[in-house]
Amino acid sequence: MATVATDTVALTAQQELVRESIRDICSEFDEEYWREKDRAAEYPTEFVTELADHGWLGILVPEAYGGAGMGTAEVVVMMEEIAASGGGFAAAQAIHGGIYNSVPIVRHGSEELKERLLPAVAEGDVAIQSLGLTEPNAGSDSTSIETVAEEQEGEYVINGQKIWISRVDASDYLLVVARTTPKSAAEKRTKGISMFLVDIDDAVDAGTLTMRSIPKTASNAVHAYELWFDDLRAPADNLVGERGNGFYQLLDGLNEERLVIAAECLGLGELAIQTGVDYANERVVFDRPIGMNQAIQHPLAKAYAELQAAKQLTYSAASAVDEESGRAVGAQANMAKYLAAEAAFAAADAAVQAHGGFGVAREYDVERYLREARLTRLVPITQELVLNYVGENVLGLPRSY
Ligand SMILES: Cc1cc2nc3c(=O)[nH]c(=O)nc-3n(C[C@H](O)[C@H](O)[C@H](O)COP(=O)(O)OP(=O)(O)OC[C@H]3O[C@@H](n4cnc5c(N)ncnc54)[C@H](O)[C@@H]3O)c2cc1C
């Protein structure tokens, strides 16, 4: 029933290969698998292991460190396909961090750190699935983080709190973003922030990291945590990149990552449309398929058109990004995320409406797609913050915050 990503953009030979390989792996995980993971709120370990065993978590790791050395143009295909295959946003989110959290190490890590971790990430032996940025008092306003890392005798001692940190249960390392200079003393609010790798098991065993799973809905299979650091000790070697420049290092690569989020929304939207169309063709009310009614057809068609528009923007920016610097596609990346999330939500909402009462029955899946599509308008950045970016950086309007 559920289809895969529609072919309205021309793919390169390498992208075709990625799509075929991913499609092949995803075909082993059917709707029932994802339905059950969602119902039980259980991380899709089997699916992630399969991808890791085939080296897909190392898609962005350079070949010199044992990875596939591919780029954004390939990751967008991979993630769109995963979501469209039936896994939805939850399936893409289950591995998103595992792919992207190694990027700061690739771009900014010491040679020692790269050699120590990247081959193991590429092999699927080590997972760096979690990034800890958000705090109770610092969500959209991320430079207001209060977690501190203080250097003491060759170690960094970390104290503070994080919230909404995904996949800590599926990760060996947590990439923590902390202040090494207080905001008040930093030359700019974006300075004095650094990134550290924390060995999660070691920290838990030492009693310096405690965590609580946050009861939530949306993508049920992927868990998010509240974390507390209490004199957590990270070796100085685990500092990623340059001390004090962590915020810039985090931003470097963000545009590419945003395009991949857009691709995950596209896949979810395509999945929802296909599910809605299948049902609209089958369900007979007043002696005819409900899909004959324009009230059912038009919302699906409109969402489809919106998805295709978002897809053109996502794919054209993704092919440009590997040729230019990520910063050059900042506007397109932000707009693609905005449009793809809105289109995915419209698609899921239309699919729910087409299902009538069954739209809220778990066994028809569309209520899950709607929950997940709603989430894409909030994470990893809210739609409002994306529009702030466009207003300020594209339209030249005054900064509003
Ligand atoms: C399921 C889930 C998983 C997550 N995973 C991670 C993770 O792995 N790692 C991590 O670090 N974080 C993670 N997050 C956190 C996520 O990045 C934040 O929730 C998000 O950035 C918004 O921050 P906030 O929730 O504090 O909202 P706030 O910053 O409190 O904003 C609340 C509302 O006000 C709006 N708003 C605020 N300021 C403005 C403004 N100036 N102009 C217009 N509107 C404004 C926002 O858009 C939003 O709608 C996750 C969140 C969720 C829900």
Side-chain angles (χ1 to χ4, degrees), residues 102-252:
S102 58
V103 170
I105 301 173
V106 170
R107 295 196 178 181
H108 304 285
S110 66
E111 197 48 43
E112 183 275 326
L113 208 53
K114 288 182 191 177
E115 280 169 21
R116 172 152 57 101
L117 290 172
L118 295 180
V121 168
E123 280 289 306
D125 294 336
V126 163
I128 312 177
Q129 283 271 21
S130 295
L131 167 74
L133 173 64
T134 305
E135 299 183 2
N137 295 322
S140 306
D141 183 8
S142 44
T143 60
S144 290
I145 56 168
E146 292 161 353
T147 293
V148 290
E150 199 185 323
E151 195 169 9
Q152 285 178 15
E153 298 154 2
E155 287 182 322
Y156 280 91
V157 182
I158 302 176
N159 281 289
Q161 188 184 347
K162 297 285 174 186
I163 196 164
W164 289 117
I165 310 307
S166 301
R167 300 168 297 267
V168 184
D169 52 341
S171 192
D172 297 302
Y173 286 92
L174 167 71
L175 193 57
V176 178
V177 186
R179 279 223 162 258
T180 35
T181 305
K183 191 176 177 181
S184 54
E187 161 197 342
K188 288 159 81 171
R189 68 198 164 88
T190 43
K191 294 285 250 179
I193 292 173
S194 308
M195 280 198 273
F196 302 90
L197 276 169
V198 165
D199 184 314
I200 296 172
D201 283 349
D202 283 358
V204 169
D205 289 349
T208 55
L209 170 62
T210 46
M211 58 179 91
R212 175 184 83 95
S213 175
I214 302 172
K216 65 168 183 63
T217 58
S219 56
N220 289 348
V222 181
H223 305 147
Y225 290 82
E226 191 166 10
L227 307 176
W228 290 267
F229 311 119
D230 183 12
D231 283 343
L232 189 156
R233 290 172 182 275
D237 289 348
N238 283 12
L239 171 71
V240 178
E242 205 185 330
R243 178 180 162 149
N245 269 335
F247 195 72
Y248 296 99
Q249 295 169 191
L250 201 61
L251 292 185
D252 181 20

Side-chain angles (χ1 to χ4, degrees), residues 296-367:
I296 295 298
Q297 261 180 34
H298 285 188
L300 290 165
K302 184 165 178 277
Y304 181 78
E306 288 162 354
L307 275 172
Q308 293 311 317
K311 185 162 176 163
Q312 297 298 326
L313 188 57
T314 305
Y315 272 76
S316 70
S319 64
V321 88
D322 293 328
E323 293 150 25
E324 304 164 23
S325 84
R327 197 159 288 279
V329 295
Q332 290 98 315
N334 276 284
M335 292 187 292
K337 189 271 168 180
Y338 178 84
L339 293 172
E342 293 299 313
F345 184 76
D349 193 46
V352 167
Q353 196 66 21
H355 278 71
F358 291 108
V360 295
R362 277 180 177 270
E363 63 201 288
Y364 285 81
D365 301 318
V366 288
E367 65 82 32

